[in-house]
PDB file of all heavy atoms in Angstrom:
ATOM      1  N   THR B  61      34.076  50.617 -51.001  1.00  0.00           N
ATOM      2  CA  THR B  61      33.366  50.508 -49.777  1.00  0.00           C
ATOM      3  C   THR B  61      31.927  50.176 -50.030  1.00  0.00           C
ATOM      4  O   THR B  61      31.281  50.859 -50.935  1.00  0.00           O
ATOM      5  CB  THR B  61      33.493  51.819 -48.977  1.00  0.00           C
ATOM      6  OG1 THR B  61      34.797  52.187 -48.778  1.00  0.00           O
ATOM      7  CG2 THR B  61      32.805  51.716 -47.578  1.00  0.00           C
ATOM      8  N   GLN B  62      31.450  49.094 -49.466  1.00  0.00           N
ATOM      9  CA  GLN B  62      30.089  48.640 -49.738  1.00  0.00           C
ATOM     10  C   GLN B  62      29.208  48.604 -48.466  1.00  0.00           C
ATOM     11  O   GLN B  62      29.710  48.195 -47.448  1.00  0.00           O
ATOM     12  CB  GLN B  62      30.185  47.266 -50.413  1.00  0.00           C
ATOM     13  CG  GLN B  62      31.107  47.195 -51.588  1.00  0.00           C
ATOM     14  CD  GLN B  62      30.867  45.958 -52.505  1.00  0.00           C
ATOM     15  OE1 GLN B  62      29.781  45.531 -52.577  1.00  0.00           O
ATOM     16  NE2 GLN B  62      31.929  45.455 -53.142  1.00  0.00           N
ATOM     17  N   ALA B  63      28.000  49.007 -48.643  1.00  0.00           N
ATOM     18  CA  ALA B  63      27.054  49.033 -47.489  1.00  0.00           C
ATOM     19  C   ALA B  63      25.630  48.825 -48.183  1.00  0.00           C
ATOM     20  O   ALA B  63      25.528  48.953 -49.468  1.00  0.00           O
ATOM     21  CB  ALA B  63      27.108  50.396 -46.817  1.00  0.00           C
ATOM     22  N   PRO B  64      24.566  48.594 -47.422  1.00  0.00           N
ATOM     23  CA  PRO B  64      23.303  48.473 -47.984  1.00  0.00           C
ATOM     24  C   PRO B  64      22.912  49.739 -48.833  1.00  0.00           C
ATOM     25  O   PRO B  64      22.970  50.824 -48.339  1.00  0.00           O
ATOM     26  CB  PRO B  64      22.348  48.319 -46.853  1.00  0.00           C
ATOM     27  CG  PRO B  64      23.171  47.714 -45.789  1.00  0.00           C
ATOM     28  CD  PRO B  64      24.563  48.270 -45.982  1.00  0.00           C
ATOM     29  N   GLY B  65      22.671  49.543 -50.124  1.00  0.00           N
ATOM     30  CA  GLY B  65      22.268  50.611 -50.991  1.00  0.00           C
ATOM     31  C   GLY B  65      23.423  51.566 -51.326  1.00  0.00           C
ATOM     32  O   GLY B  65      23.141  52.675 -51.876  1.00  0.00           O
ATOM     33  N   SER B  66      24.674  51.173 -51.032  1.00  0.00           N
ATOM     34  CA  SER B  66      25.745  52.171 -51.368  1.00  0.00           C
ATOM     35  C   SER B  66      27.017  51.463 -51.739  1.00  0.00           C
ATOM     36  O   SER B  66      27.455  50.508 -51.184  1.00  0.00           O
ATOM     37  CB  SER B  66      25.909  53.048 -50.098  1.00  0.00           C
ATOM     38  OG  SER B  66      27.182  53.742 -50.168  1.00  0.00           O
ATOM     39  N   TYR B  67      27.737  51.999 -52.736  1.00  0.00           N
ATOM     40  CA  TYR B  67      28.918  51.552 -53.262  1.00  0.00           C
ATOM     41  C   TYR B  67      29.802  52.722 -53.677  1.00  0.00           C
ATOM     42  O   TYR B  67      29.349  53.535 -54.429  1.00  0.00           O
ATOM     43  CB  TYR B  67      28.635  50.563 -54.493  1.00  0.00           C
ATOM     44  CG  TYR B  67      29.876  50.058 -55.180  1.00  0.00           C
ATOM     45  CD1 TYR B  67      30.242  48.742 -54.988  1.00  0.00           C
ATOM     46  CD2 TYR B  67      30.611  50.778 -56.069  1.00  0.00           C
ATOM     47  CE1 TYR B  67      31.354  48.168 -55.635  1.00  0.00           C
ATOM     48  CE2 TYR B  67      31.656  50.242 -56.755  1.00  0.00           C
ATOM     49  CZ  TYR B  67      32.054  48.961 -56.541  1.00  0.00           C
ATOM     50  OH  TYR B  67      33.183  48.406 -57.181  1.00  0.00           O
ATOM     51  N   ARG B  68      31.083  52.777 -53.211  1.00  0.00           N
ATOM     52  CA  ARG B  68      31.905  53.842 -53.526  1.00  0.00           C
ATOM     53  C   ARG B  68      33.371  53.331 -53.784  1.00  0.00           C
ATOM     54  O   ARG B  68      33.885  52.611 -52.908  1.00  0.00           O
ATOM     55  CB  ARG B  68      32.020  54.978 -52.465  1.00  0.00           C
ATOM     56  CG  ARG B  68      30.729  55.730 -52.221  1.00  0.00           C
ATOM     57  CD  ARG B  68      30.322  56.700 -53.357  1.00  0.00           C
ATOM     58  NE  ARG B  68      29.134  57.452 -52.915  1.00  0.00           N
ATOM     59  CZ  ARG B  68      27.917  56.969 -52.927  1.00  0.00           C
ATOM     60  NH1 ARG B  68      27.669  55.730 -53.355  1.00  0.00           N
ATOM     61  NH2 ARG B  68      26.896  57.737 -52.617  1.00  0.00           N
ATOM     62  N   ILE B  69      33.911  53.725 -54.894  1.00  0.00           N
ATOM     63  CA  ILE B  69      35.377  53.296 -55.098  1.00  0.00           C
ATOM     64  C   ILE B  69      36.276  54.321 -54.417  1.00  0.00           C
ATOM     65  O   ILE B  69      35.895  55.473 -54.229  1.00  0.00           O
ATOM     66  CB  ILE B  69      35.728  53.186 -56.551  1.00  0.00           C
ATOM     67  CG1 ILE B  69      35.335  54.376 -57.389  1.00  0.00           C
ATOM     68  CG2 ILE B  69      35.180  51.830 -57.199  1.00  0.00           C
ATOM     69  CD1 ILE B  69      35.901  54.392 -58.847  1.00  0.00           C
ATOM     70  N   GLU B  70      37.400  53.774 -53.898  1.00  0.00           N
ATOM     71  CA  GLU B  70      38.341  54.560 -53.166  1.00  0.00           C
ATOM     72  C   GLU B  70      39.740  54.132 -53.450  1.00  0.00           C
ATOM     73  O   GLU B  70      40.018  52.987 -53.802  1.00  0.00           O
ATOM     74  CB  GLU B  70      38.109  54.383 -51.658  1.00  0.00           C
ATOM     75  CG  GLU B  70      36.998  55.319 -51.055  1.00  0.00           C
ATOM     76  CD  GLU B  70      36.456  54.745 -49.810  1.00  0.00           C
ATOM     77  OE1 GLU B  70      37.106  53.944 -49.123  1.00  0.00           O
ATOM     78  OE2 GLU B  70      35.266  55.016 -49.561  1.00  0.00           O
ATOM     79  N   ARG B  71      40.734  55.025 -53.128  1.00  0.00           N
ATOM     80  CA  ARG B  71      42.126  54.695 -53.252  1.00  0.00           C
ATOM     81  C   ARG B  71      42.543  53.971 -51.923  1.00  0.00           C
ATOM     82  O   ARG B  71      41.986  54.309 -50.894  1.00  0.00           O
ATOM     83  CB  ARG B  71      43.005  55.916 -53.465  1.00  0.00           C
ATOM     84  CG  ARG B  71      42.810  56.769 -54.631  1.00  0.00           C
ATOM     85  CD  ARG B  71      43.074  56.087 -55.986  1.00  0.00           C
ATOM     86  NE  ARG B  71      44.275  55.308 -56.029  1.00  0.00           N
ATOM     87  CZ  ARG B  71      44.876  54.980 -57.177  1.00  0.00           C
ATOM     88  NH1 ARG B  71      44.393  55.283 -58.291  1.00  0.00           N
ATOM     89  NH2 ARG B  71      45.914  54.143 -57.152  1.00  0.00           N
ATOM     90  N   ARG B  72      43.446  53.074 -52.098  1.00  0.00           N
ATOM     91  CA  ARG B  72      44.099  52.476 -50.885  1.00  0.00           C
ATOM     92  C   ARG B  72      45.460  52.939 -50.782  1.00  0.00           C
ATOM     93  O   ARG B  72      45.997  53.570 -51.647  1.00  0.00           O
ATOM     94  CB  ARG B  72      44.173  51.004 -51.166  1.00  0.00           C
ATOM     95  CG  ARG B  72      42.895  50.180 -51.070  1.00  0.00           C
ATOM     96  CD  ARG B  72      43.100  48.787 -51.557  1.00  0.00           C
ATOM     97  NE  ARG B  72      44.095  48.040 -50.691  1.00  0.00           N
ATOM     98  CZ  ARG B  72      43.709  47.371 -49.518  1.00  0.00           C
ATOM     99  NH1 ARG B  72      42.429  47.341 -49.261  1.00  0.00           N
ATOM    100  NH2 ARG B  72      44.605  46.765 -48.758  1.00  0.00           N
ATOM    101  N   ASP B  73      46.131  52.746 -49.646  1.00  0.00           N
ATOM    102  CA  ASP B  73      47.475  53.286 -49.566  1.00  0.00           C
ATOM    103  C   ASP B  73      48.484  52.104 -49.794  1.00  0.00           C
ATOM    104  O   ASP B  73      49.664  52.264 -49.468  1.00  0.00           O
ATOM    105  CB  ASP B  73      47.732  53.954 -48.198  1.00  0.00           C
ATOM    106  CG  ASP B  73      47.222  53.134 -47.047  1.00  0.00           C
ATOM    107  OD1 ASP B  73      47.030  51.973 -47.209  1.00  0.00           O
ATOM    108  OD2 ASP B  73      46.961  53.768 -45.962  1.00  0.00           O
ATOM    109  N   ASP B  74      48.033  51.042 -50.467  1.00  0.00           N
ATOM    110  CA  ASP B  74      48.995  50.139 -51.018  1.00  0.00           C
ATOM    111  C   ASP B  74      48.675  49.874 -52.474  1.00  0.00           C
ATOM    112  O   ASP B  74      47.946  50.580 -53.065  1.00  0.00           O
ATOM    113  CB  ASP B  74      48.896  48.757 -50.177  1.00  0.00           C
ATOM    114  CG  ASP B  74      47.537  48.146 -50.269  1.00  0.00           C
ATOM    115  OD1 ASP B  74      46.780  48.518 -51.186  1.00  0.00           O
ATOM    116  OD2 ASP B  74      47.207  47.306 -49.453  1.00  0.00           O
ATOM    117  N   ALA B  75      49.256  48.866 -53.046  1.00  0.00           N
ATOM    118  CA  ALA B  75      49.178  48.616 -54.576  1.00  0.00           C
ATOM    119  C   ALA B  75      48.624  47.259 -54.779  1.00  0.00           C
ATOM    120  O   ALA B  75      48.780  46.633 -55.801  1.00  0.00           O
ATOM    121  CB  ALA B  75      50.508  48.850 -55.261  1.00  0.00           C
ATOM    122  N   ARG B  76      47.770  46.774 -53.885  1.00  0.00           N
ATOM    123  CA  ARG B  76      47.182  45.418 -54.083  1.00  0.00           C
ATOM    124  C   ARG B  76      46.181  45.569 -55.297  1.00  0.00           C
ATOM    125  O   ARG B  76      45.586  46.578 -55.460  1.00  0.00           O
ATOM    126  CB  ARG B  76      46.419  44.980 -52.851  1.00  0.00           C
ATOM    127  CG  ARG B  76      47.427  44.630 -51.704  1.00  0.00           C
ATOM    128  CD  ARG B  76      46.688  43.947 -50.614  1.00  0.00           C
ATOM    129  NE  ARG B  76      47.685  43.711 -49.557  1.00  0.00           N
ATOM    130  CZ  ARG B  76      47.595  42.561 -48.838  1.00  0.00           C
ATOM    131  NH1 ARG B  76      46.571  41.755 -48.993  1.00  0.00           N
ATOM    132  NH2 ARG B  76      48.451  42.308 -47.859  1.00  0.00           N
ATOM    133  N   ARG B  77      46.089  44.425 -55.985  1.00  0.00           N
ATOM    134  CA  ARG B  77      45.259  44.404 -57.175  1.00  0.00           C
ATOM    135  C   ARG B  77      43.878  43.778 -56.926  1.00  0.00           C
ATOM    136  O   ARG B  77      43.016  43.881 -57.816  1.00  0.00           O
ATOM    137  CB  ARG B  77      46.017  43.628 -58.219  1.00  0.00           C
ATOM    138  CG  ARG B  77      47.270  44.275 -58.762  1.00  0.00           C
ATOM    139  CD  ARG B  77      48.092  43.334 -59.597  1.00  0.00           C
ATOM    140  NE  ARG B  77      49.285  44.022 -59.942  1.00  0.00           N
ATOM    141  CZ  ARG B  77      50.429  44.126 -59.258  1.00  0.00           C
ATOM    142  NH1 ARG B  77      50.442  43.648 -58.001  1.00  0.00           N
ATOM    143  NH2 ARG B  77      51.475  44.806 -59.615  1.00  0.00           N
ATOM    144  N   PHE B  78      43.760  43.038 -55.875  1.00  0.00           N
ATOM    145  CA  PHE B  78      42.501  42.270 -55.675  1.00  0.00           C
ATOM    146  C   PHE B  78      41.878  42.615 -54.269  1.00  0.00           C
ATOM    147  O   PHE B  78      41.299  41.716 -53.663  1.00  0.00           O
ATOM    148  CB  PHE B  78      42.743  40.805 -55.843  1.00  0.00           C
ATOM    149  CG  PHE B  78      43.226  40.369 -57.186  1.00  0.00           C
ATOM    150  CD1 PHE B  78      44.553  40.067 -57.387  1.00  0.00           C
ATOM    151  CD2 PHE B  78      42.366  40.456 -58.319  1.00  0.00           C
ATOM    152  CE1 PHE B  78      45.058  39.683 -58.648  1.00  0.00           C
ATOM    153  CE2 PHE B  78      42.846  40.118 -59.610  1.00  0.00           C
ATOM    154  CZ  PHE B  78      44.206  39.707 -59.726  1.00  0.00           C
ATOM    155  N   ALA B  79      42.080  43.830 -53.796  1.00  0.00           N
ATOM    156  CA  ALA B  79      41.738  44.163 -52.386  1.00  0.00           C
ATOM    157  C   ALA B  79      40.398  44.836 -52.374  1.00  0.00           C
ATOM    158  O   ALA B  79      40.204  45.979 -51.948  1.00  0.00           O
ATOM    159  CB  ALA B  79      42.748  45.033 -51.730  1.00  0.00           C
ATOM    160  N   PHE B  80      39.343  44.161 -52.891  1.00  0.00           N
ATOM    161  CA  PHE B  80      37.916  44.584 -52.849  1.00  0.00           C
ATOM    162  C   PHE B  80      37.063  43.460 -52.982  1.00  0.00           C
ATOM    163  O   PHE B  80      37.473  42.329 -53.447  1.00  0.00           O
ATOM    164  CB  PHE B  80      37.762  45.606 -54.080  1.00  0.00           C
ATOM    165  CG  PHE B  80      38.299  45.110 -55.314  1.00  0.00           C
ATOM    166  CD1 PHE B  80      37.580  44.121 -56.097  1.00  0.00           C
ATOM    167  CD2 PHE B  80      39.556  45.440 -55.762  1.00  0.00           C
ATOM    168  CE1 PHE B  80      38.124  43.602 -57.227  1.00  0.00           C
ATOM    169  CE2 PHE B  80      40.073  44.868 -56.913  1.00  0.00           C
ATOM    170  CZ  PHE B  80      39.370  44.028 -57.651  1.00  0.00           C
ATOM    171  N   ALA B  81      35.775  43.634 -52.596  1.00  0.00           N
ATOM    172  CA  ALA B  81      34.793  42.538 -52.717  1.00  0.00           C
ATOM    173  C   ALA B  81      34.099  42.567 -54.107  1.00  0.00           C
ATOM    174  O   ALA B  81      34.338  43.444 -54.871  1.00  0.00           O
ATOM    175  CB  ALA B  81      33.840  42.609 -51.564  1.00  0.00           C
ATOM    176  N   ALA B  82      33.223  41.572 -54.307  1.00  0.00           N
ATOM    177  CA  ALA B  82      32.532  41.409 -55.586  1.00  0.00           C
ATOM    178  C   ALA B  82      31.937  42.724 -56.064  1.00  0.00           C
ATOM    179  O   ALA B  82      31.354  43.493 -55.260  1.00  0.00           O
ATOM    180  CB  ALA B  82      31.444  40.417 -55.469  1.00  0.00           C
ATOM    181  N   GLY B  83      32.115  43.047 -57.251  1.00  0.00           N
ATOM    182  CA  GLY B  83      31.621  44.318 -57.859  1.00  0.00           C
ATOM    183  C   GLY B  83      30.204  44.143 -58.444  1.00  0.00           C
ATOM    184  O   GLY B  83      29.535  43.232 -58.314  1.00  0.00           O
ATOM    185  N   PRO B  84      29.837  45.193 -59.193  1.00  0.00           N
ATOM    186  CA  PRO B  84      28.424  45.232 -59.711  1.00  0.00           C
ATOM    187  C   PRO B  84      28.040  44.084 -60.610  1.00  0.00           C
ATOM    188  O   PRO B  84      26.972  43.560 -60.491  1.00  0.00           O
ATOM    189  CB  PRO B  84      28.250  46.596 -60.419  1.00  0.00           C
ATOM    190  CG  PRO B  84      29.602  47.132 -60.535  1.00  0.00           C
ATOM    191  CD  PRO B  84      30.409  46.443 -59.483  1.00  0.00           C
ATOM    192  N   SER B  85      28.912  43.717 -61.556  1.00  0.00           N
ATOM    193  CA  SER B  85      28.461  42.773 -62.556  1.00  0.00           C
ATOM    194  C   SER B  85      28.972  41.284 -62.115  1.00  0.00           C
ATOM    195  O   SER B  85      30.005  41.268 -61.530  1.00  0.00           O
ATOM    196  CB  SER B  85      29.107  43.043 -63.935  1.00  0.00           C
ATOM    197  OG  SER B  85      28.523  44.133 -64.474  1.00  0.00           O
ATOM    198  N   THR B  86      28.175  40.298 -62.440  1.00  0.00           N
ATOM    199  CA  THR B  86      28.471  38.935 -62.137  1.00  0.00           C
ATOM    200  C   THR B  86      28.943  38.299 -63.450  1.00  0.00           C
ATOM    201  O   THR B  86      28.796  38.928 -64.539  1.00  0.00           O
ATOM    202  CB  THR B  86      27.331  38.193 -61.665  1.00  0.00           C
ATOM    203  OG1 THR B  86      26.386  38.104 -62.704  1.00  0.00           O
ATOM    204  CG2 THR B  86      26.651  38.925 -60.426  1.00  0.00           C
ATOM    205  N   LEU B  87      29.462  37.108 -63.377  1.00  0.00           N
ATOM    206  CA  LEU B  87      29.794  36.371 -64.590  1.00  0.00           C
ATOM    207  C   LEU B  87      28.647  35.895 -65.301  1.00  0.00           C
ATOM    208  O   LEU B  87      28.673  35.491 -66.536  1.00  0.00           O
ATOM    209  CB  LEU B  87      30.791  35.193 -64.261  1.00  0.00           C
ATOM    210  CG  LEU B  87      32.129  35.603 -63.663  1.00  0.00           C
ATOM    211  CD1 LEU B  87      33.027  34.337 -63.743  1.00  0.00           C
ATOM    212  CD2 LEU B  87      32.696  36.792 -64.361  1.00  0.00           C
TER     213      LEU B  87
END
Side-chain angles (χ1 to χ4, degrees):
Chain B
T61 302
Q62 308 198 30
S66 168
Y67 176 102
R68 295 287 186 282
I69 48 172
E70 271 157 30
R71 298 296 319 197
R72 290 171 60 87
D73 47 20
D74 60 17
R76 290 189 181 217
R77 293 166 183 82
F78 300 106
F80 45 83
S85 292
T86 66
L87 297 196

